[in-house]
Amino acid sequence: MFQLDFFSQRSYLVQTGQLYLEAWIPRLKRVWCIGPSFRAEPYVDERHLCEFPLVEMELECDFHQLLGHIEGSICSMVNQAGKDAKDDLEALNIDTQALRDLRPPFRKVTYTQAIEDLRARYGLEWGADLKAEHERYLVELYGNQPLFITHYPEPIKFFNMKNNEEDPRVVNSADLILPYSGEAVGSAEREHRPDRLMEKLRKSSMLRLLEARGGGIQDFDWYIQQLRRESVPHAGCGVGLNRVTQCVLRETDIRRTTPFPLNMATLL
């Protein structure tokens, strides 16, 4: 994260509006935001940027309903691009009919199945995080179409994702992997029970990293207190707009979908 001095207090440029959106859920049921997301990415490559537009949604729904909302949103975005920019896209040799024909449901595989698919080729074991090359292989393996990978191990995901009732080792999470771009949507059912959430936060690797940087569990007081006042079951996601654009344009380099790409090379 990018650290800055905010009127003599240590602060950071925003990565996500998720926790703030969650505070609105008990009253408004369906909320969203769009804004710049900042990441202190040290990489200069076709996949990473230090700033990008992130579309986020939080809804009073369960995990399976959430996946339906994501499918509908992505299909609407891609279908509309195929209609509104038909001439421009065809000038770039893009099959706009294929964009207009994209429909749910998307293929879904569990993380456990994905590891089985990857083990022979990459030697991955259960619990490993998936890299870009793994995602590309899986998308090609399953027909070069949008692919949900679901139910990741708890230790490699954000602390507030809800554990699966049938297999507590995993959380009710899903990453949507798109052709050409890779992971375009990260999503999960949220843990809305304050006591359980505090337990998950205390044992998370994220908290240990925060403490090493001088922060602590008190940085989440406002969020925990909001949940204690009122909370309902809910779920949400973040959509990387550039990566959806990559899929539409069949472009593997995120910098070519960004008017002013920002990374370390920009400063050199």
Side-chain angles (χ1 to χ4, degrees), residues 123-267:
L124 292 186
E125 296 296 332
W126 200 94
D129 206 354
L130 302 185
K131 307 300 183 185
E133 63 178 317
H134 307 142
E135 295 171 352
R136 283 194 296 268
Y137 176 78
L138 289 167
V139 165
E140 293 173 2
L141 182 67
Y142 285 98
N144 211 34
Q145 295 293 320
L147 175 70
F148 277 115
I149 303 176
T150 71
H151 299 96
Y152 284 78
E154 180 183 16
I156 63 175
K157 286 297 184 180
F158 194 53
F159 78 94
N160 78 339
M161 295 184 178
K162 189 172 184 180
N163 291 78
N164 183 268
E165 293 184 0
E166 296 180 2
D167 184 358
R169 299 178 305 158
V170 303
V171 288
N172 289 341
S173 62
D175 289 348
L176 179 61
I177 315 301
L178 295 180
Y180 303 99
S181 61
E183 181 193 343
V185 183
S187 68
E189 186 174 4
R190 315 304 187 191
E191 177 53 74
H192 68 285
R193 296 166 294 184
D195 293 341
R196 177 64 181 134
L197 190 68
M198 283 296 292
E199 178 186 344
K200 288 170 66 68
L201 175 58
R202 287 192 178 99
K203 70 178 186 180
S204 69
S205 59
M206 186 202 68
L207 180 60
R208 292 193 294 272
L209 179 60
L210 180 62
E211 290 171 338
R213 295 179 176 179
I217 201 167
Q218 68 278 359
D219 293 320
F220 290 91
D221 282 349
W222 70 271
Y223 173 61
I224 301 298
Q225 292 308 314
Q226 175 65 33
L227 289 183
R228 291 192 189 283
R229 281 194 293 272
E230 53 181 349
S231 183
V232 296
H234 60 282
C237 68
V239 182
L241 198 57
N242 300 75
R243 290 189 175 172
V244 179
T245 306
Q246 281 182 262
C247 182
V248 169
L249 296 178
R250 301 188 174 188
E251 175 57 64
T252 58
D253 192 329
I254 195 171
R255 292 168 293 188
R256 289 174 59 84
T257 68
T258 309
F260 302 98
L262 179 65
N263 58 29
M264 284 186 64
T266 313
L267 306 177

Side-chain angles (χ1 to χ4, degrees), residues 7 9 14-15 28 50 55 59 76 91 101 115 119 123-124 127 161 165 175 183 188 200 222 253 264:
F7 300 106
Q9 293 189 11
V14 68
Q15 285 195 322
L28 299 181
C50 291
V55 182
L59 309 105
S76 177
D101 288 343
I115 289 295
R119 180 172 286 122
L124 292 186
M161 295 184 178
E165 293 184 0
D175 289 348
E183 181 193 343
K200 288 170 66 68
W222 70 271
D253 192 329
M264 284 186 64

Side-chain angles (χ1 to χ4, degrees), residues 17-71:
Q18 176 195 132
L19 302 187
Y20 304 95
L21 290 178
E22 288 189 59
W24 289 104
I25 285 291
R27 301 300 178 91
L28 299 181
K29 313 303 182 186
R30 294 158 61 102
V31 293
W32 69 280
C33 70
I34 181 170
S37 179
F38 296 94
R39 310 288 169 94
E41 295 283 4
Y43 308 105
V44 178
D45 58 21
E46 64 181 15
R47 184 170 171 78
H48 296 90
L49 294 174
C50 291
E51 177 192 5
F52 57 90
L54 185 65
V55 182
E56 298 182 273
M57 300 178 281
E58 293 290 327
L59 309 105
E60 187 176 324
C61 67
D62 62 26
F63 180 60
H64 297 291
Q65 291 169 327
L66 172 65
L67 299 189
H69 284 298
I70 295 171
E71 289 171 334

Side-chain angles (χ1 to χ4, degrees), residues 55-107:
V55 182
E56 298 182 273
M57 300 178 281
E58 293 290 327
L59 309 105
E60 187 176 324
C61 67
D62 62 26
F63 180 60
H64 297 291
Q65 291 169 327
L66 172 65
L67 299 189
H69 284 298
I70 295 171
E71 289 171 334
S73 298
I74 296 297
C75 288
S76 177
M77 294 166 71
V78 173
N79 296 163
Q80 202 64 41
K83 295 175 184 177
D84 293 348
K86 181 176 183 294
D87 293 341
D88 293 331
L89 290 169
E90 289 181 349
L92 296 172
N93 296 317
I94 304 298
D95 182 357
T96 57
Q97 187 62 51
L99 299 179
R100 298 195 298 273
D101 288 343
L102 183 66
R103 295 287 184 273
F106 298 158
R107 184 70 180 267

